[in-house]
Amino acid sequence: MSRDVEQMEFHILNKLYRQTNIGEDYIPFHDILQGLKPHQRSMKDAVKAATNLYKKGLVEFHKSKNCISINRKQVDEVEAILARRNGLHS
């Protein structure tokens, strides 16, 4: 997996967690790229990262894959991933 896709996975999880987009509280997929620098905004990487996260069971898609949220059953796992990535021990 490329480093850009890995960073995008973290960005997606971090954004959804900070905004508490869990379960039926979802945001439009295109809003995922907001907050990134222009050279980091790659929809191709975002789609690949979201697909990887979906396969891992960490996110859910809504409205024909136009919206995204954290899988409500995996909130603890997402918190652990974010804590490890931020250098905090859970």
Side-chain angles (χ1 to χ4, degrees):
M1 180 179 353
S2 79
R3 183 162 166 77
D4 292 338
V5 174
E6 249 180 56
Q7 288 177 337
M8 185 64 74
E9 283 184 8
F10 173 73
H11 172 75
I12 291 170
L13 289 177
N14 195 39
K15 183 170 189 99
L16 293 173
Y17 185 76
R18 279 184 297 121
Q19 294 183 354
T20 62
N21 297 116
I22 300 169
E24 291 299 314
D25 183 13
Y26 47 82
I27 61 171
F29 186 74
H30 61 83
D31 287 353
I32 288 295
L33 298 179
Q34 290 180 351
L36 289 172
K37 295 177 183 172
H39 70 278
Q40 295 173 320
R41 292 183 189 169
S42 167
M43 186 55 84
K44 182 179 176 184
D45 287 345
V47 169
K48 188 178 252 185
T51 303
N52 290 346
L53 292 171
Y54 178 77
K55 287 178 182 177
K56 294 175 187 175
L58 298 174
V59 299
E60 302 173 332
F61 291 115
H62 305 274
K63 297 188 175 186
S64 301
K65 292 190 173 184
N66 290 323
C67 296
I68 189 170
S69 70
I70 292 175
N71 183 342
R72 71 196 81 174
K73 296 176 183 174
Q74 298 293 331
V75 174
D76 292 338
E77 179 65 25
V78 170
E79 287 175 344
I81 290 169
L82 295 176
R84 280 193 305 269
R85 178 74 188 254
N86 290 323
L88 306 173
H89 300 289
S90 55

